[in-house]
């Protein structure tokens, strides 16, 4: 080790050392193989800083701008076996006293400086701080009682410490690992979220903070998950308790579905119900008087009978007791009964005669049946011939006067018909009769639903052969022909959709970009990092046309935005993207009168709910930010989306409509003249479609479109024309007004709706038209068009209105798509992502920007600030200056970020 005793703490090594080696050979600049690392002083243990460089003739530490005394250095020298260059390594110790003696805002730092004959090299700074962890938590978790399956948030703000404390959660003293139990989620703010409370989540929860110095435990928060009781089903009604007369019946239920647990509320209502009942009293039966004795029989006895009808037993009464028949000898012993054998012979003769009659009747029936079937000869086709789909049918015989004339073929109005019903065997020989035998019971035909038979007539007029009718089977699906069904645009193929003026596409990668459909207000923001590094996708944005889309609204719902598809569907995103849609819901009422739901379309074409505004939970796949005219959907799954809404009682909701008045382009060479009034949703896309339609028809816009609030009141939209100068003009409309049905407007179909007023002028010399057109909802608001025009004056054709961000390019790729530079964005995220003791973190930024409706969505993201900045970029499209963002940061007291924005941006 070479020592320079003339150097002191105040000596500038850079001035002395180069002159000490005037004859040193040329060497490269020193390169650090090991740089000093940040360290923390725990209690009174000093921190060791070490660095190593090669080639190095000298190496020393400088701390806080001053050289460290050479006696405090421990230097080692070695030779690199590969390069043969000198490697020097130096260590110093930094004590707690040295750090505490430093005054100022900057932390204690040290830097290593190495020399060679080529010059000096400085290492990065290593900061040395005193480690500590305060005792008191800034916020401790609080015990709660929650219902089953409710979302639970347990908050914890650890004590201030250096380095910042790491936080773990304990459940009954066992560490919670969200990787093993997906029902738990820890946010970047160290909060614990239980997505759906289970009975097993009833426990004591503790927040534990630790760093290199100490470990702190918060107070225990007891979470009780309760279950409110639910009634079981009612039992059957019991029997009436009174056997005779008025009584009552009852049925019961129990509070066991489920039973209340952990202090849950007991079921409300009675556990039983009782109703009155009436039971008819039972009446026992009674015998009638005996009937007269019968005549004396062959057995020398006569009989008499009686019935249990005085009264008959009713309502469960007992039957009469005793015998119904009574007999006695009628000759007082003077008559002897016949021999029993004679009676048997008589009865046997009667039975034999009856059997003979039956046999004769059967023989006659068989003969009659054979005679009637003499002309019946037919061959039933087997199952294979039935499925080959070809049957020959001969016309009827001429000897049957009830059938059609044999010389004329059947009257078939079409060459191909459709037959549904039982099949018949039509294959017969040349001399076979014409009878048809049904085959509907064939089991081979049962699996063929919706069987169709097309009938084609084929006969030769000059042939003496009988006409032949060929039946060909056409097995369709669901009653349709075999043509392929046109499915959803994304149902299987991956071709890029192209709709001129209604779509855009671009190839995007890791740098992100923005897709915008001009003059529609529809855009898709893909932030940097949303696409994995090294991957590129051909992304598209498409507004589905109304004639190709099924409406997502159901019942009283109304469509509020265009149906927009973004893709490719199924694409994996690393970060959320932001889809911007214009909507026509009126939101300026003091009380919420809308229930808004975001829907997505499946590959099968069905619509499913994604989320309802105000009912978000941790399982919600996206976040919806609603503004006066636009909604921004923060999502991680591309697809087809639309916003629908319905009135939230008791107030009826209102939609914003636009009314546009068009007329034919001048000059008008006919006496007829028409005015068309369109009623569309108040969105740039809807008006763009109307202007494109009128441009194709040659129409001109007479006045600027007027707004109209359309209320959910089931009243129609009424249009009427007034103050026509009848001396020169007359209306062809007989009715006083026209109406557009309420449902046609409220359903939200993207099809343009309009009414036409047909006028006729008295002569071609009449060119001035003055009138008034009123448009209003029955018992609602309205608008008036005061028209004064010269129909012969040439007006400019319809052109798109400059609204909805029409000046923006259709696609922007990379950093050009974002107003916020990458460097500023990274510094803002680094400053606000970590929880702050004073609350000046991403949560305050969300509050300042108005994005704080559901903070738990952002808390689950790796960088909540990054998602907030993406949402800010999307919501300030076209006017995204940094003033609003800088004002929010200034309000939060983030002066260091403002300095960066002033230096790097154009704030």
């Amino acid at each position: 080790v070479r020592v320079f005793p003339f150097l002191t703490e105040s000596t500038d090594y850079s001035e002395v050392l180069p002159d000490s080696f005037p004859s040193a050979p040329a060497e490269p600049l020193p390169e650090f193989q090991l740089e000093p690392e940040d360290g923390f002083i725990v209690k009174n243990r000093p921190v060791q800083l070490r660095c190593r460089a090669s080639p190095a003739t000298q190496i020393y530490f400088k701390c806080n701008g001053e050289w460290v005394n050479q006696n405090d250095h421990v230097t080692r020298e070695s030779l690199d076996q590969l390069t043969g260059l000198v490697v020097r390594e130096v260590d110093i110790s930094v004590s707690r006293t040295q750090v505490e003696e430093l005054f100022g805002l900057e932390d204690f730092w040290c830097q290593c400086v190495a020399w060679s004959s080529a010059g000096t090299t400085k290492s990065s700074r290593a900061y040395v701080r005193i480690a500590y962890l305060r005792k008191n938590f800034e916020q401790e978790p609080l015990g709660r009682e929650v219902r089953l399956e409710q979302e639970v948030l347990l908050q914890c703000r650890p004590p201030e410490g250096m380095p910042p404390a790491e936080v773990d959660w304990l459940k009954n003293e066992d560490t919670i690992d969200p990787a093993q139990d997906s029902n738990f989620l820890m946010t970047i703010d160290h909060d614990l979220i239980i997505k759906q409370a289970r009975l097993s989540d009833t426990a004591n929860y503790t927040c534990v903070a630790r760093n290199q110095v100490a470990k702190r435990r918060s107070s225990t928060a007891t979470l009780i998950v309760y279950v409110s009781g639910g009634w079981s089903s009612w039992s059957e009604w019991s029997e009436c308790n009174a056997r005779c007369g008025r009584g009552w019946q009852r049925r019961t239920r129990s509070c066991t579905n489920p039973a209340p647990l952990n202090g849950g509320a007991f079921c409300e209502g009675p556990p039983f119900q009782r109703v009155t009942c009436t039971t008819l009293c039972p009446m026992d039966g009674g015998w009638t008087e005996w009937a007269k004795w019968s005549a004396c029989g062959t057995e020398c006895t006569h009989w008499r009978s009686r019935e249990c009808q005085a009264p008959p037993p009713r309502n469960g009464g007992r039957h009469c007791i005793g015998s119904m028949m009574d007999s006695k000898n009628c000759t007082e012993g003077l008559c002897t009964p016949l021999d029993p054998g004679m009676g048997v012979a008589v009865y046997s003769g009667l039975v034999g005669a009856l059997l003979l009659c039956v046999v004769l009747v059967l023989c006659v029936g068989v003969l009659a049946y054979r005679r009637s079937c003499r002309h019946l000869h037919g061959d039933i086709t087997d199952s294979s011939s039935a499925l080959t789909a070809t049957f020959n049918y001969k016309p009827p015989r001429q000897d049957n006067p009830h059938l059609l004339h044999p010389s004329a073929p059947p009257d078939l109005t079409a060459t191909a018909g459709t037959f549904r019903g039982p099949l018949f065997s039509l294959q017969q020989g040349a001399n076979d009769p014409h009878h048809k035998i049904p085959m509907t019971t064939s089991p081979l035909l049962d699996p063929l639903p919706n069987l169709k038979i097309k009938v084609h007539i084929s006969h030769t007029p000059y042939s003496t052969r009988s006409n032949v009718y060929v039946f060909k089977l056409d097995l369709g699906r669901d009653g349709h022909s075999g043509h392929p069904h046109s499915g959803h645009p994304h149902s299987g193929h991956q071709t890029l959709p192209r709709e001129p003026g209604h779509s855009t596409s671009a190839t995007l990668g890791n740098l992100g970009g923005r897709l915008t459909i001009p003059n529609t207000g529809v855009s898709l923001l893909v932030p940097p990092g949303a696409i994995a590094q090294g991957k590129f996708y051909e992304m598209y944005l498409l507004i589905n046309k109304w004639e190709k889309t099924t409406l997502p609204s159901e019942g009283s719902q109304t469509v509020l935005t265009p149906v927009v598809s973004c893709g490719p569907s199924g694409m994996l995103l690393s970060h959320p993207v932001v889809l911007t849609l214009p909507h026509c819901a009126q939101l300026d009422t003091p009380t919420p009168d809308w229930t808004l739901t975001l829907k997505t379309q499946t590959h099968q074409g069905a619509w499913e709910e994604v989320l309802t505004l105000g009912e978000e939970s941790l399982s919600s796949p996206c976040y919806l930010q609603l503004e006066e005219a636009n909604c921004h959907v923060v999502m991680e799954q591309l697809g087809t989306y639309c916003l629908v809404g319905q009135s939230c009682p008791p107030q009826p909701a209102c939609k914003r409509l636009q009314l546009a008045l068009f007329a034919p382009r001048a000059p008008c060479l006919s006496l007829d003249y028409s005015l068309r009034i369109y009623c569309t949703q108040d969105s740039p896309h809807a008006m763009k479609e109307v202007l494109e339609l009128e441009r194709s028809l040659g129409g001109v816009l007479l006045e600027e479109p007027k707004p109209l609030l359309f209320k959910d009141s089931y009243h129609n939209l009424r249009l009427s024309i007034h103050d026509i100068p009848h001396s020169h003009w007359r209306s062809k409309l007989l009715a006083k007004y026209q109406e557009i049905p309420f449902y046609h407007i409220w359903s939200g179909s993207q099809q343009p709706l309009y009414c036409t007023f047909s006028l006729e002028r008295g002569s071609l010399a009449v060119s001035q038209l003055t009138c008034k057109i009123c448009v209003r909802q029955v018992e609602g608001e309205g608008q008036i068009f005061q028209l004064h025009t010269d129909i012969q004056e040439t007006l400019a054709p319809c052109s798109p209105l400059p609204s909805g961000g029409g000046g923006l390019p259709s696609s922007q790729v990379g950093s050009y798509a974002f107003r916020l530079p990458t460097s500023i964005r990274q510094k803002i995220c680094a400053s606000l992502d970590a929880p702050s003791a004073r609350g000046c973190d991403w949560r305050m930024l969300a509050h300042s920007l108005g994005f704080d409706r559901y903070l738990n969505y952002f808390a689950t993201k790796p960088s909540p600030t990054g998602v907030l900045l993406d949402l800010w970029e999307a919501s300030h499209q076209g006017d995204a200056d940094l003033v609003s963002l800088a004002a929010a940061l200034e309000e939060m007291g983030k002066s260091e970020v403002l300095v960066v924005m002033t230096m790097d941006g154009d704030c």
Side-chain angles (χ1 to χ4, degrees), residues 665-886:
R665 189 183 306 169
C668 182
L669 304 179
S670 171
L671 295 178
D672 295 333
Y673 193 74
S674 61
L675 299 173
R676 289 185 297 274
I677 302 179
Y678 286 83
C679 173
T680 67
Q681 298 188 127
D682 186 10
S683 66
H685 167 255
M687 185 53 60
K688 178 181 178 181
E689 279 202 335
V690 171
L691 293 173
E692 290 177 351
L693 175 61
E694 279 297 321
R695 192 184 304 113
S696 65
L697 298 176
V700 292
L701 182 66
L702 297 181
E703 288 191 22
E704 287 296 317
K706 295 180 180 292
L708 177 69
L709 292 182
F710 192 75
K711 187 180 296 185
D712 183 13
S713 62
Y714 299 99
H715 291 295
N716 298 339
L717 188 69
R718 181 172 296 177
L719 301 92
S720 57
I721 188 168
H722 307 273
D723 301 341
I724 301 175
H726 295 287
S727 57
H728 302 291
W729 293 85
R730 75 176 186 89
S731 174
K732 293 185 177 182
L733 183 66
L734 299 179
K736 295 182 179 180
Y737 55 83
Q738 302 183 61
E739 285 190 350
I740 301 178
F742 167 82
Y743 179 75
H744 289 180
I745 300 176
W746 191 255
S747 65
S749 170
Q750 300 177 45
Q751 178 182 7
L753 301 174
Y754 68 91
C755 284
T756 301
F757 289 99
S758 298
L759 305 176
E760 184 181 7
R761 51 180 173 167
S763 65
L764 293 177
V766 177
S767 62
Q768 298 293 325
L769 174 61
T770 303
C771 64
K772 183 168 61 175
I773 299 178
C774 297
V775 183
R776 69 180 184 90
Q777 187 180 12
V778 179
E779 299 184 7
E781 298 187 10
Q783 284 283 6
I784 296 178
F785 288 93
Q786 192 71 44
L787 184 62
H788 182 79
T789 183
D790 187 344
I791 65 174
Q792 301 297 344
E793 181 182 352
T794 302
L795 299 176
C798 299
S799 59
L801 294 176
S803 60
L808 295 176
S810 60
S811 63
Q812 298 170 292
V813 180
S815 59
Y816 299 100
F818 308 102
R819 187 65 186 87
L820 196 63
T822 304
S823 59
I824 297 180
R825 175 191 174 92
Q826 293 175 347
K827 288 182 172 61
I828 294 177
C829 292
S831 176
L832 300 182
D833 275 346
S836 171
R838 297 183 294 112
C840 295
D841 50 20
W842 64 269
R843 291 167 296 176
M844 184 175 289
L845 177 64
H847 178 73
S848 300
L849 297 178
F851 302 155
D852 56 343
R853 187 175 51 79
Y854 185 68
L855 291 177
N856 283 346
Y857 177 83
F858 302 99
T860 59
K861 304 305 173 186
S863 176
T865 310
V867 181
L868 291 171
L869 294 179
D870 296 337
L871 188 54
W872 175 83
E873 289 267 10
S875 61
H876 288 78
Q877 182 179 216
D879 61 345
D881 56 33
L882 300 180
V883 175
S884 60
L885 184 60

Side-chain angles (χ1 to χ4, degrees), residues 137-142 144 152-158 169 187 189-193 207 218-219 221 843 855-856:
F137 280 75
E138 295 180 6
Q139 183 174 2
E140 293 187 297
L142 301 177
R144 298 179 59 186
V152 183
L153 173 64
L154 297 177
Q155 293 182 313
C156 174
R157 297 292 178 269
W169 281 89
T187 69
D189 296 335
H190 310 301
D191 296 335
L192 177 67
I193 296 178
C207 181
S218 70
S219 58
R843 291 167 296 176
L855 291 177
N856 283 346

Side-chain angles (χ1 to χ4, degrees), residues 507-549:
T507 301
L508 301 183
N510 182 257
L511 296 179
R514 189 196 305 261
L515 300 180
T516 303
I517 303 179
N519 301 314
T520 64
V522 177
S523 65
L524 178 68
L525 180 77
V526 183
I531 302 176
Q533 186 72 37
K535 292 187 177 182
F536 294 86
Y537 290 93
E538 182 75 10
M539 302 189 67
Y540 64 85
L541 188 63
L542 167 72
I543 299 178
N544 295 271
K545 290 194 173 182
W546 62 269
E547 65 269 17
K548 300 180 181 179
T549 307

Side-chain angles (χ1 to χ4, degrees), residues 150 441 738:
Q150 180 181 342
T441 58
Q738 302 183 61

Side-chain angles (χ1 to χ4, degrees), residues 301-318:
T301 59
H302 59 175
W303 302 83
R304 66 175 180 176
S305 64
R306 60 179 178 176
E307 296 181 354
C308 189
Q309 295 292 330
R314 288 180 299 196
N315 305 327
R318 290 178 297 178

Side-chain angles (χ1 to χ4, degrees), residues 611-662:
L611 66 85
T612 298
L613 194 70
E615 299 179 6
E616 295 89 342
S617 65
L618 290 176
S619 59
S620 299
C622 56
Y623 175 84
L624 189 64
Q625 179 66 26
L626 200 64
E627 296 178 349
E628 181 179 357
N630 296 299
C631 66
H632 308 282
V633 185
V634 185
M635 59 186 181
E636 299 182 50
Q637 184 66 46
L638 302 181
T640 301
Y641 292 90
C642 182
L643 184 69
V644 301
Q646 62 183 3
S647 294
C648 182
Q651 287 293 114
C654 289
K655 287 179 63 172
R656 290 181 284 106
L657 305 179
Q658 275 191 317
L659 306 174
L661 179 61
F662 292 87

